[in-house]
Coordinates of all heavy atoms in Angstrom, one line a residue:
E1222 N 91.0 152.4 107.2 CA 89.7 151.8 106.8 C 88.6 152.8 106.9 O 87.8 152.9 106.0 CB 89.4 150.6 107.6 CG 88.3 149.8 107.1 CD 88.1 148.5 107.8 OE1 89.0 148.0 108.5 OE2 87.0 147.9 107.7
Y1223 N 88.5 153.5 108.0 CA 87.4 154.5 108.1 C 87.5 155.6 107.1 O 86.5 155.9 106.4 CB 87.5 155.1 109.5 CG 86.5 156.2 109.8 CD1 85.2 155.9 110.1 CD2 86.9 157.6 109.6 CE1 84.3 156.9 110.3 CE2 85.9 158.6 109.8 CZ 84.6 158.2 110.1 OH 83.7 159.2 110.3
C1224 N 88.7 156.2 106.9 CA 88.9 157.2 105.9 C 88.6 156.7 104.5 O 87.9 157.5 103.7 CB 90.3 157.8 105.9 SG 90.6 158.7 107.5
I1225 N 89.0 155.5 104.1 CA 88.7 155.0 102.8 C 87.2 154.8 102.6 O 86.7 155.1 101.6 CB 89.5 153.6 102.6 CG1 91.0 153.9 102.5 CG2 89.0 152.9 101.4 CD1 91.9 152.7 102.6
N1226 N 86.6 154.2 103.7 CA 85.1 154.0 103.6 C 84.4 155.4 103.5 O 83.3 155.4 102.8 CB 84.6 153.2 104.8 CG 84.9 151.7 104.6 OD1 84.8 151.2 103.5 ND2 85.2 151.1 105.7
Q1227 N 84.8 156.4 104.1 CA 84.2 157.7 104.0 C 84.3 158.2 102.5 O 83.4 158.8 102.0 CB 84.9 158.7 104.9 CG 84.5 158.5 106.4 CD 83.1 158.7 106.7 OE1 82.4 159.6 106.2 NE2 82.5 157.7 107.4
R1228 N 85.5 158.0 101.9 CA 85.7 158.4 100.5 C 84.8 157.6 99.6 O 84.2 158.1 98.6 CB 87.2 158.3 100.2 CG 87.5 158.8 98.8 CD 87.1 160.3 98.7 NE 87.4 160.8 97.4 CZ 87.5 162.0 97.1 NH1 87.3 163.0 98.0 NH2 87.8 162.4 95.9
L1229 N 84.7 156.3 99.8 CA 83.9 155.4 99.0 C 82.4 155.9 99.1 O 81.7 155.9 98.1 CB 84.0 154.0 99.5 CG 85.3 153.3 99.2 CD1 85.3 151.9 99.9 CD2 85.6 153.1 97.7
H1230 N 82.0 156.3 100.3 CA 80.6 156.7 100.5 C 80.4 158.0 99.7 O 79.3 158.2 99.0 CB 80.3 157.0 102.0 CG 79.0 157.5 102.2 ND1 77.8 156.7 102.1 CD2 78.6 158.7 102.6 CE1 76.8 157.5 102.4 NE2 77.2 158.7 102.7
S1231 N 81.3 159.0 99.8 CA 81.1 160.2 99.0 C 81.1 160.0 97.5 O 80.4 160.6 96.8 CB 82.1 161.3 99.4 OG 83.4 160.9 99.1
N1232 N 82.0 159.0 97.1 CA 82.0 158.7 95.6 C 80.6 158.1 95.2 O 80.1 158.4 94.1 CB 83.1 157.7 95.3 CG 84.5 158.4 95.4 OD1 84.6 159.6 95.5 ND2 85.5 157.5 95.3
K1233 N 80.1 157.2 96.0 CA 78.8 156.6 95.7 C 77.7 157.7 95.7 O 76.8 157.7 94.8 CB 78.4 155.6 96.8 CG 79.1 154.3 96.7 CD 78.6 153.3 97.8 CE 79.6 152.2 98.1 NZ 79.2 151.4 99.2
E1234 N 77.7 158.6 96.6 CA 76.7 159.7 96.7 C 76.8 160.5 95.4 O 75.8 160.9 94.8 CB 76.9 160.5 97.9 CG 75.9 161.5 98.2 CD 74.5 160.9 98.4 OE1 74.3 159.7 98.7 OE2 73.5 161.7 98.2
R1235 N 78.0 160.9 95.0 CA 78.3 161.7 93.8 C 77.7 160.9 92.6 O 77.1 161.5 91.7 CB 79.7 162.0 93.6 CG 80.0 162.9 92.5 CD 81.5 163.3 92.3 NE 82.0 164.0 93.4 CZ 82.9 163.4 94.3 NH1 83.3 162.2 94.1 NH2 83.3 164.1 95.3
E1236 N 78.0 159.6 92.5 CA 77.5 158.8 91.4 C 76.0 158.8 91.4 O 75.3 158.9 90.3 CB 78.1 157.4 91.5 CG 77.7 156.5 90.3 CD 78.3 155.2 90.5 OE1 79.4 155.0 90.1 OE2 77.6 154.3 91.0
R1237 N 75.4 158.7 92.6 CA 73.9 158.7 92.7 C 73.3 160.0 92.2 O 72.4 160.0 91.4 CB 73.5 158.4 94.1 CG 72.0 158.2 94.3 CD 71.6 158.1 95.7 NE 71.8 159.4 96.4 CZ 70.9 160.4 96.4 NH1 69.8 160.3 95.7 NH2 71.1 161.5 97.1
E1238 N 73.9 161.1 92.7 CA 73.4 162.4 92.3 C 73.6 162.6 90.8 O 72.7 163.2 90.1 CB 74.2 163.5 93.0 CG 73.8 163.6 94.5 CD 74.7 164.5 95.3 OE1 75.6 165.1 94.7 OE2 74.4 164.7 96.5
N1239 N 74.7 162.2 90.2 CA 74.9 162.3 88.7 C 73.8 161.5 88.0 O 73.4 161.9 86.9 CB 76.3 162.0 88.3 CG 77.3 163.0 88.8 OD1 77.0 164.1 89.0 ND2 78.5 162.6 88.9
S1240 N 73.5 160.3 88.4 CA 72.5 159.5 87.7 C 71.2 160.1 87.8 O 70.4 160.0 86.9 CB 72.5 158.1 88.3 OG 72.0 158.0 89.6
L1241 N 70.9 160.8 88.9 CA 69.6 161.5 89.0 C 69.5 162.7 88.0 O 68.5 162.9 87.4 CB 69.3 162.0 90.4 CG 69.0 160.9 91.4 CD1 68.9 161.5 92.8 CD2 67.8 160.1 91.1
K1242 N 70.6 163.4 87.9 CA 70.7 164.5 87.0 C 70.5 164.1 85.5 O 69.9 164.7 84.7 CB 72.0 165.3 87.1 CG 72.1 166.1 88.4 CD 73.4 166.7 88.5 CE 73.6 167.4 89.8 NZ 75.0 168.0 89.9
D1243 N 71.0 162.9 85.2 CA 71.0 162.4 83.9 C 69.7 161.7 83.5 O 69.4 161.4 82.4 CB 72.1 161.3 83.6 CG 73.5 162.0 83.7 OD1 73.6 163.2 83.6 OD2 74.5 161.2 84.0
N1244 N 68.8 161.5 84.5 CA 67.6 160.8 84.3 C 66.6 161.7 83.6 O 66.1 162.7 84.2 CB 67.0 160.2 85.6 CG 65.9 159.2 85.4 OD1 65.3 159.2 84.4 ND2 65.7 158.4 86.4
K1245 N 66.2 161.4 82.4 CA 65.3 162.3 81.6 C 63.9 162.3 82.2 O 63.2 163.3 82.1 CB 65.3 161.9 80.2 CG 66.7 162.0 79.5 CD 67.2 163.4 79.4 CE 68.5 163.4 78.7 NZ 69.2 164.7 78.8
I1246 N 63.5 161.2 82.8 CA 62.1 161.1 83.3 C 61.9 162.1 84.4 O 60.9 162.7 84.5 CB 61.8 159.7 83.8 CG1 61.8 158.7 82.6 CG2 60.5 159.6 84.5 CD1 61.7 157.3 82.9
L1247 N 62.9 162.3 85.2 CA 62.8 163.2 86.4 C 62.8 164.6 86.0 O 62.4 165.5 86.7 CB 63.9 162.9 87.4 CG 63.9 161.6 88.1 CD1 65.1 161.4 89.0 CD2 62.6 161.4 88.8
E1248 N 63.2 164.9 84.8 CA 63.2 166.3 84.3 C 61.8 166.8 84.0 O 61.5 168.0 84.1 CB 64.1 166.4 83.0 CG 65.5 166.3 83.3 CD 66.4 166.5 82.0 OE1 65.8 166.7 81.0 OE2 67.6 166.3 82.1
K1249 N 60.9 165.9 83.6 CA 59.5 166.3 83.3 C 58.8 166.7 84.6 O 58.9 166.0 85.6 CB 58.8 165.2 82.6 CG 59.3 164.9 81.2 CD 58.5 163.8 80.6 CE 59.1 163.4 79.3 NZ 58.4 162.3 78.7
K1250 N 58.1 167.7 84.6 CA 57.3 168.1 85.8 C 55.9 167.5 85.6 O 55.2 167.9 84.7 CB 57.2 169.6 85.9 CG 58.6 170.2 86.2 CD 58.5 171.4 86.9 CE 60.0 171.8 87.1 NZ 60.2 172.7 88.2
I1251 N 55.6 166.6 86.4 CA 54.3 165.9 86.3 C 53.3 166.5 87.3 O 53.6 166.6 88.4 CB 54.5 164.4 86.6 CG1 55.5 163.8 85.6 CG2 53.1 163.7 86.5 CD1 55.8 162.3 85.9
K1252 N 52.2 166.9 86.7 CA 51.1 167.5 87.6 C 50.5 166.4 88.4 O 50.3 165.3 87.9 CB 50.1 168.2 86.8 CG 50.6 169.4 86.0 CD 49.5 170.0 85.2 CE 50.0 171.2 84.4 NZ 49.0 171.8 83.6
P1253 N 50.1 166.7 89.7 CA 49.5 165.7 90.5 C 48.2 165.2 89.8 O 47.4 166.1 89.4 CB 49.2 166.3 91.8 CG 50.0 167.6 91.8 CD 50.4 167.9 90.4
Q1254 N 47.9 164.0 89.8 CA 46.7 163.5 89.1 C 45.5 163.6 90.0 O 44.4 163.6 89.5 CB 46.9 162.0 88.7 CG 48.0 161.9 87.7 CD 48.2 160.4 87.3 OE1 47.6 159.5 87.8 NE2 49.1 160.2 86.3
A1255 N 45.7 163.7 91.3 CA 44.5 163.8 92.2 C 44.5 165.1 92.9 O 44.0 165.3 94.0 CB 44.6 162.7 93.2
A1256 N 44.9 166.2 92.2 CA 44.9 167.5 92.8 C 43.5 168.0 93.1 O 43.3 168.7 94.1 CB 45.6 168.5 91.9
H1257 N 42.5 167.6 92.4 CA 41.2 168.0 92.6 C 40.6 167.6 94.0 O 39.8 168.1 94.5 CB 40.2 167.5 91.5 CG 40.1 166.1 91.4 ND1 41.0 165.2 90.9 CD2 39.1 165.3 91.9 CE1 40.6 164.0 91.0 NE2 39.5 164.0 91.6
R1258 N 41.2 166.5 94.5 CA 40.7 166.0 95.8 C 41.1 166.9 96.9 O 40.5 166.8 98.0 CB 41.3 164.6 96.0 CG 40.8 163.6 95.0 CD 41.4 162.2 95.4 NE 41.1 161.3 94.3 CZ 41.7 160.1 94.2 NH1 42.6 159.7 95.1 NH2 41.3 159.3 93.3
F1259 N 42.1 167.7 96.7 CA 42.6 168.5 97.8 C 42.3 170.0 97.7 O 42.8 170.8 98.4 CB 44.2 168.3 97.9 CG 44.6 166.9 98.0 CD1 45.1 166.2 97.0 CD2 44.4 166.3 99.2 CE1 45.5 164.9 97.1 CE2 44.7 164.9 99.4 CZ 45.3 164.2 98.3
Q1260 N 41.4 170.3 96.8 CA 40.9 171.7 96.7 C 40.1 172.1 97.9 O 39.4 171.2 98.5 CB 40.1 171.9 95.4 CG 41.0 171.8 94.2 CD 40.2 172.0 92.9 OE1 39.0 172.0 92.9 NE2 40.9 172.2 91.8
H1261 N 40.0 173.3 98.2 CA 39.2 173.8 99.3 C 37.7 173.6 99.0 O 37.3 173.7 97.9 CB 39.5 175.3 99.5 CG 39.0 175.8 100.8 ND1 37.7 176.3 100.9 CD2 39.5 175.8 102.0 CE1 37.5 176.7 102.2 NE2 38.6 176.4 102.9
K1262 N 36.9 173.2 100.0 CA 35.5 172.9 99.8 C 34.7 174.1 99.2 O 33.8 173.8 98.4 CB 34.9 172.6 101.2 CG 35.3 171.2 101.7 CD 34.6 170.9 103.0 CE 35.0 169.6 103.5 NZ 34.3 169.2 104.7
S1263 N 35.1 175.3 99.5 CA 34.3 176.4 98.9 C 34.5 176.5 97.4 O 33.6 176.9 96.7 CB 34.8 177.8 99.6 OG 36.1 178.0 99.3
S1264 N 35.7 176.1 96.9 CA 35.9 176.2 95.4 C 35.1 175.0 94.8 O 34.7 175.2 93.6 CB 37.3 176.1 95.1 OG 37.9 174.9 95.5
L1265 N 34.8 174.0 95.5 CA 34.1 172.8 94.9 C 32.6 173.2 94.8 O 31.9 172.8 93.9 CB 34.3 171.6 95.7 CG 35.7 171.0 95.6 CD1 35.8 169.7 96.5 CD2 36.0 170.5 94.2

Side-chain angles (χ1 to χ4, degrees):
E1222 186 174 344
Y1223 176 80
C1224 293
I1225 292 168
N1226 282 322
Q1227 290 296 314
R1228 186 60 180 193
L1229 292 171
H1230 177 73
S1231 66
N1232 289 352
K1233 284 180 200 175
E1234 187 64 20
R1235 185 180 299 108
E1236 183 179 276
R1237 185 188 71 80
E1238 289 173 358
N1239 289 339
S1240 71
L1241 289 175
K1242 287 178 187 176
D1243 294 340
N1244 193 339
K1245 300 295 181 191
I1246 294 173
L1247 295 177
E1248 288 180 5
K1249 295 180 183 178
K1250 298 206 178 200
I1251 302 172
K1252 294 180 182 178
Q1254 295 179 0
H1257 66 280
R1258 295 181 189 169
F1259 302 106
Q1260 290 179 349
H1261 193 270
K1262 288 183 180 180
S1263 62
S1264 65
L1265 290 176

